[in-house]
Amino acid sequence: MTDAVLAGAADRGPADLSGRNDEREALDGLLRGARAGRGGALVLLGEAGSGKTALLDRCASAAAGEARLLRCTGVQSEAALPYAGLQVLLRGVLDRVSGLPERQSKALRGAIALDGPPAGDRFLVGAATLGLLDELAEERPAVVLVDDAHWLDLETVDVLLFAARRLGVGRVAMVFAAHEEPAAFDGAPGVPALRLGPLTDEEGAALLAGRAPDLQAAVRSRILGLAQGNPLALVELVGALTAAQREGSEPLDAREIAVLPASWRVRRIFDERIRSLPAPTRLLLTVAAADDTGDVALVAAAGGRLGAAVGDFGPAEAADLVRVSGQQLVFRHPLVRAAAYQGALLTERTAAHRALAEAASAAGDTGRRAWHLAAATVGYDEVVATELERSAKLFHSRGGQAAVAAAYRRAARLTEDQETRSVRLIAGAAAAAEAGQAELAEALADEAGPVSSPSAVARIASVRAALEHGRGRAESARLLLVEAASKVTVHCPARGAWLLFEAAAMAWDVPDPVVAALDTRERVAGLDFGGHPVHRGAIGVLDTLAGDPAAGAAAIREFARYVVRTRQERSLIDQVRLHGWDMLLGEYRTVHDEAVVLERECRAEGAVGVLARVLLRLARLRLFLGRHRDAYTTAVEGLEIACDTGQRHLATMFSGVLAVLAALDGEEPDGAEGQGGGARQDVAGRAGRRPCPGVAPITIWLIRAQGLLDLGLGRYDRALQRFAALTGGPHRHLMVSVHSLPDQVEAAVRTGRAVDARAAAERFTCWARAAGTAWAVAVELRCRALLAVDDARVEELYERALAAHDGDGRPFEEARTRLLYGEWLRRARRRAAAREALTTALESFERMRAAAWADRTRTELRAVGAAPTAPAAGADLVDRLTAQELRVVRLAATGLSNRDIGARLFLSPRTVGYHLSNAYPKLGVTSRAALGALDLD
């Protein structure tokens, strides 16, 4: 709410906080950090009445006068309205939005202004909110307090948590208070949490002593027992006692039910207090409880339609149930709101919602109007259902997928026609799946029941398949899609082709991909897809998966060209989903350049959630292309974004890339967090924060990382075991396995297992010849050289391999070929030639930060009489920078301002300035003007 509201809350004074010393110290530390430029956030978890609201009030009181206070409370009845909480939180500072970068400004206005443009990606709204808070904090620290966060709409939750995780060095403190139930507020990884347990009897007695020092001992004991350590229950129970009850001469209420939770006992006290109010006041409280805005004018307008006036709030204020300050109203405690709403009769609640709908309509708020109408409707009502459906489309344009799902779900409840109802439920299921609400998506899909139209069959199959895949049941997902393709293709070949392509993509993740690919082809063999290019692409993927890359190569290339050619016909997220399948053919440079274009579009549009997928592709491509430093900085940024946006499955994949990079640099891959060891300590690259602690690398990438380290260190037996597991196990046809085949050849040759080496080499030759890329040809020649026994033949194959490497874009593989050639030349006693090959290889490994391989090369050089020196510590200035500093410095060197850099990287300008100030002394410069003269590659 606005500063005025919080001033009123502060005037009331915080409640007694006996027994909450640790929590008070934590909040005091958070405020001190914000004053000193160390932004931070905290989640308070506890049952109703445990002291969360009192702690927020104390925090507001402590910050009053020196900080800008922003406060809101989640409201259950409005939890389905997108950005409802954000509107209440930020509407008092809308005038400052214009200071943000243009796209962020539009996104935030679209989220919190009734007449604003579409908001777009909710994470862009989060970046804009972070920027706004940072700008507000330029004048004085900003303190954001959110009560009943478990009732916030999911869009507001995503926005605020995205900002909370990226506070960095800003003068901003954020505190969320929520119920402690596991499902209440479980979306805050990366934000510290404090759980408020019950007070001890000693702490409770101290609280009572301050509130009622005259309380008779037996009465005190009874109150302590009834309150069960709940602070609010202690305060309200003792406050409800008569003088006679305090001294023990009159018994306590015999109707008190001992088994009720303490919060319900407090609710009963508030219920009784509300029932004692005049009827118009009770009516106004019901309207206010059904509203989430706290806007006195809106509540009064709705109440006026029911015969109440704004002056009727007086008795409620006198009873300390609500406080009206200026144009804002705030309930004393969330339990008061709950009592006012849930204690009202059904007819009273529906009348309140209908009146609020009329008031919202007059204010031009169509979204709230639809929801209040729905809340006031019992039974079927197609008019209201249609209005909700229109709201869902509006919510979709503003990036509120959770709200879209809720709107379609409620519209379906009001729909009598079964087919229309099913269509709305399917739309809701698709939106819920996109919002990450897997359980809701599945429930809505189940409720939809059987459908007949091809579009509905296809859509529900895609939703169910995505849910199954997310639960690790890729085979079930594949079968769902194949079955749907069989039903849909006869009516709509193009839609059937897309379902088949989804099924082919799912087949990569099943326990036995070969069987899955063959089965998929068999099941759709008789279907006519009308020659659609997507069908050709799906068949190419299935052929490659089944072990026949020669048959699939042409179809995959054709599909890749089709995707690029028609990219403007589909959304950005679909472009990303369909792009890059020609990676299966080793076309890394082409796919990389296309991915760079997608990355720019994601940053320009503020599509933060989609950006994580593109960065994963780029990180892998840069690893494959030997651009290890760029792969590292890309993977670290992607890991941060994946964690900040709740995409933990992507986080495991980024951790896999980082594990491989760590192994190449001579570090043991970190299986716990997948982020390498000591040489790269600040993998988060931002104020010491490590994102997604505990996210292990995806298994096949971790195994590959361990195998590469073993191979680089000469532990050939262990390396062979790992690569054999990759190339012969259940994932043997994944791209990581294709890359592991040459490694398996080398390890097998070194351990005298020629038969195993030849089998792996033959499989790689089959793929390389189908792919036809220069680097694959070069590596295939290297494998043949390792297996050759005639010296002349060996030398010929190595020379041909090096010629094929020339300009192939894979410097790491070329350096490995030179290393192996140098090792062979040394054994052939051709020391000068060996020294030349090994020296060139060493220079490449050092440039690429491949320490394990560089050390192996130095050992070989010493064996031929050379005396290689280790690289001087810190010789490369860029290596002194964290990943985030390097990203910031590179953008600053192009002339971008801190604000523009922040917009690109979704950071606050203050955080950008912090990274620049840290980078300058590491680079030996004093200003951004000097950055242009440095080599930052």
Side-chain angles (χ1 to χ4, degrees):
M1 303 220 172
T2 63
D3 289 353
V5 181
L6 289 164
D11 291 343
R12 184 173 69 236
D16 195 324
L17 287 167
S18 298
R20 298 298 183 208
N21 292 335
D22 291 344
E23 291 81 359
R24 283 185 291 176
E25 289 178 8
L27 290 173
D28 288 345
L30 196 68
L31 293 177
R32 285 194 301 271
R35 295 186 195 103
R38 299 188 307 274
L42 184 67
V43 177
L44 301 175
L45 298 172
E47 67 171 351
S50 60
K52 302 186 300 296
T53 300
L55 285 165
L56 292 183
D57 286 344
R58 181 184 182 278
C59 198
S61 180
E66 64 169 338
R68 182 183 292 272
L69 301 173
L70 303 170
R71 192 167 185 175
C72 72
T73 299
V75 179
Q76 182 178 6
S77 63
E78 306 232 1
L81 283 171
Y83 305 111
L86 198 67
Q87 290 172 0
V88 174
L89 187 73
L90 299 182
R91 65 186 171 193
V93 293
L94 266 178
D95 59 310
R96 305 296 295 273
V97 173
S98 58
L100 300 175
E102 182 180 2
R103 185 166 290 277
Q104 290 188 8
S105 176
K106 287 183 178 180
L108 193 52
R109 286 188 182 278
I112 62 181
L114 299 180
D115 57 349
D121 191 320
R122 64 192 185 279
F123 300 117
L124 176 61
V125 180
T129 300
L130 174 64
L132 178 61
L133 293 174
D134 194 63
E135 182 167 328
L136 294 173
E138 287 291 333
E139 301 170 357
R140 50 184 171 142
V143 177
V144 177
L145 306 176
V146 181
D147 208 350
D148 269 1
H150 52 282
W151 289 130
L152 285 177
D153 59 280
L154 290 184
E155 286 74 24
T156 294
V157 170
D158 283 342
V159 164
L160 294 182
L161 289 180
F162 183 89
R165 296 185 187 107
R166 295 189 153 231
L167 289 177
V169 296
R171 297 197 301 167
V172 180
M174 301 178 73
V175 185
F176 303 87
H179 283 182
E180 63 180 347
E181 290 86 351
F185 194 68
D186 58 358
V191 180
L194 280 178
R195 284 176 168 77
L196 280 62
L199 300 181
T200 65
D201 285 348
E202 292 77 10
E203 292 167 339
L207 190 155
L208 289 177
R211 289 279 176 165
D214 59 337
L215 204 60
Q216 197 262 349
V219 177
R220 182 186 304 111
S221 179
R222 177 76 189 281
I223 293 294
L224 287 171
L226 289 174
Q228 299 173 337
N230 185 289
L232 184 62
L234 286 168
V235 170
E236 294 299 332
L237 287 171
V238 75
L241 298 178
T242 65
Q245 287 173 327
R246 284 172 180 257
E247 66 183 20
S249 60
E250 178 184 328
L252 299 184
D253 188 352
R255 294 171 299 170
E256 187 70 59
I257 303 175
V259 296
L260 282 179
S263 59
W264 280 93
R265 296 195 182 101
V266 177
R267 266 286 311 280
R268 287 183 56 182
I269 294 172
F270 290 146
D271 285 339
E272 292 173 2
R273 210 176 288 178
I274 291 171
R275 281 198 297 269
S276 69
L277 298 173
T281 302
R282 295 199 307 271
L283 183 62
L284 269 183
L285 284 181
T286 302
V287 173
D291 167 67
D292 77 314
T293 67
D295 187 335
V296 172
L298 181 67
V299 173
R305 288 173 165 81
L306 302 175
V310 69
D312 291 318
F313 273 124
E317 286 188 279
D320 196 24
L321 296 172
V322 298
R323 191 171 188 88
V324 178
S325 178
Q327 291 300 308
Q328 296 296 313
L329 174 146
V330 61
F331 281 89
R332 173 197 167 182
H333 191 277
L335 283 177
V336 178
R337 182 192 291 273
Y341 186 81
Q342 296 170 9
L345 299 175
L346 175 62
T347 54
E348 294 170 333
R349 292 198 299 268
T350 56
H353 281 294
R354 195 169 289 111
L356 284 166
E358 294 173 5
S361 180
D365 191 343
T366 57
R368 277 189 171 82
R369 167 185 160 80
W371 272 108
H372 283 304
L373 283 176
T377 302
V378 178
Y380 299 126
D381 192 320
E382 183 58 29
V383 173
V384 177
T386 301
E387 192 157 341
L388 272 174
E389 189 169 21
R390 283 198 295 268
S391 294
K393 293 173 182 176
L394 170 65
F395 298 158
H396 184 274
S397 73
R398 297 170 65 193
Q401 289 303 322
V404 172
Y408 275 120
R409 182 188 194 186
R410 183 66 180 124
R413 299 285 190 276
L414 301 174
T415 304
E416 186 171 13
D417 179 74
Q418 182 59 45
E419 184 70 18
T420 305
R421 184 173 182 272
S422 294
V423 168
R424 285 170 173 162
L425 286 169
I426 292 169
E434 190 171 339
Q437 298 173 292
E439 292 184 5
L440 175 60
E442 187 169 34
L444 295 178
D446 289 342
E447 191 176 345
V451 291
S452 56
S453 72
S455 61
V457 170
R459 194 171 191 186
I460 200 167
S462 293
V463 171
R464 288 189 180 280
L467 293 172
E468 288 293 286
H469 186 255
R471 295 187 176 96
R473 299 196 286 260
E475 175 63 5
S476 174
R478 179 187 71 86
L479 292 173
L480 281 169
L481 291 163
V482 172
E483 181 182 0
S486 300
K487 294 178 180 178
V488 168
T489 302
V490 64
H491 304 287
C492 184
R495 198 180 296 272
W498 282 112
L499 288 170
L500 177 61
F501 192 87
E502 289 183 54
M506 292 293 178
W508 284 83
D509 292 334
V510 305
D512 195 329
V514 175
V515 171
L518 295 173
D519 178 70
T520 302
R521 289 213 58 170
E522 182 179 349
R523 287 172 182 264
V524 301
L527 299 178
D528 182 5
F529 291 91
H532 198 284
V534 174
H535 169 246
R536 286 270 294 138
I539 295 302
V541 170
L542 292 170
D543 284 341
T544 302
L545 182 58
D548 190 359
I556 290 174
R557 286 196 175 92
E558 179 186 335
F559 175 71
R561 288 192 293 269
Y562 165 78
V563 169
V564 173
R565 187 174 65 251
T566 59
R567 62 190 301 267
Q568 299 303 326
E569 299 175 8
R570 57 183 66 91
S571 67
L572 181 58
I573 190 170
D574 282 341
Q575 290 181 50
V576 173
R577 182 169 60 91
L578 298 176
H579 164 261
W581 281 92
D582 41 342
M583 283 177 66
L584 298 178
L585 306 176
E587 297 285 356
Y588 300 139
R589 282 193 290 189
T590 300
V591 178
H592 175 272
D593 292 345
E594 294 165 356
V596 168
V597 174
L598 290 173
E599 180 199 13
R600 289 183 189 137
E601 290 188 20
C602 286
R603 293 191 190 278
E605 294 185 18
V608 187
V610 182
L611 176 62
R613 301 187 192 186
V614 179
L615 290 177
L616 176 62
R617 193 162 301 158
L618 281 171
R620 289 177 168 176
L621 286 163
R622 287 165 179 167
L623 172 61
F624 294 155
L625 293 171
R627 295 169 54 178
H628 295 171
R629 177 183 287 139
D630 288 343
Y632 176 72
T633 57
T634 303
V636 168
E637 182 184 14
L639 179 60
E640 292 175 5
I641 292 176
C643 295
D644 290 346
T645 56
Q647 301 180 82
R648 290 180 70 86
H649 63 295
L650 292 183
T652 65
M653 297 179 189
F654 280 114
S655 291
V657 174
L658 290 169
V660 170
L661 288 166
L664 293 175
D665 211 20
E667 303 174 20
E668 291 288 348
D670 187 342
E673 298 186 21
Q675 296 172 0
R680 291 171 175 159
Q681 296 176 4
D682 183 15
V683 297
R686 184 173 67 246
R689 181 172 74 86
R690 292 189 79 178
C692 280
V695 175
I698 187 171
T699 302
I700 56 173
W701 280 74
L702 179 58
I703 295 173
R704 174 153 176 78
Q706 293 166 333
L708 283 171
L709 181 62
D710 290 336
L711 193 59
L713 297 177
R715 302 186 303 221
Y716 298 117
D717 281 315
R718 290 171 59 179
L720 181 59
Q721 292 174 10
R722 299 191 197 279
F723 294 131
L726 284 176
T727 62
H731 295 286
R732 58 190 177 277
H733 289 283
L734 293 173
M735 280 309 300
V736 75
S737 301
V738 169
H739 282 273
S740 297
L741 286 167
D743 305 321
Q744 184 180 5
V745 171
E746 182 179 342
V749 167
R750 289 289 184 256
T751 54
R753 295 177 173 88
V755 174
D756 294 339
R758 292 186 187 283
E762 288 171 5
R763 288 178 55 192
F764 186 78
T765 296
C766 178
W767 177 83
R769 290 179 179 175
T773 54
W775 75 265
V777 171
V779 173
E780 188 262 341
L781 289 166
R782 182 179 80 202
C783 291
R784 289 165 60 191
L786 281 167
L787 290 165
V789 293
D790 179 74
D791 286 352
R793 181 63 172 158
V794 171
E795 184 170 10
E796 177 204 351
L797 289 169
Y798 273 128
E799 290 292 345
R800 286 173 58 192
L802 289 173
H805 272 306
D806 187 27
D808 71 346
R810 300 294 306 279
F812 180 69
E813 293 300 335
E814 180 179 358
R816 286 185 59 184
T817 299
R818 291 189 184 278
L819 169 60
L820 290 171
Y821 188 23
E823 290 175 342
W824 179 82
L825 289 168
R826 178 185 63 78
R827 290 192 298 272
R829 301 182 183 281
R830 296 169 58 182
R831 300 166 70 88
R835 187 181 299 114
E836 180 183 355
L838 293 170
T839 299
T840 304
L842 178 60
E843 291 170 353
S844 295
F845 289 138
E846 289 181 341
R847 281 196 304 272
M848 287 180 284
R849 295 178 61 167
W853 300 84
D855 289 344
R856 176 173 154 185
T857 309
R858 287 192 192 92
T859 300
E860 289 293 322
L861 277 167
R862 282 190 286 270
V864 295
T869 58
D876 190 338
L877 292 178
V878 174
D879 280 343
R880 302 175 182 179
L881 304 179
T882 66
Q884 189 72 288
E885 289 166 359
L886 180 56
R887 288 196 295 272
V888 168
V889 163
R890 282 175 168 171
L891 290 173
T894 67
L896 291 178
S897 67
N898 287 6
R899 193 180 82 153
D900 290 336
I901 295 171
R904 293 271 190 97
L905 300 180
F906 310 105
L907 301 171
S908 72
R910 179 186 287 268
T911 300
V912 171
Y914 169 81
H915 287 306
L916 280 175
S917 65
N918 284 342
Y920 288 160
K922 296 179 182 179
L923 296 173
V925 300
T926 57
S927 69
R928 67 197 311 135
L931 295 176
L934 299 179
D935 180 5
L936 299 174
D937 291 330

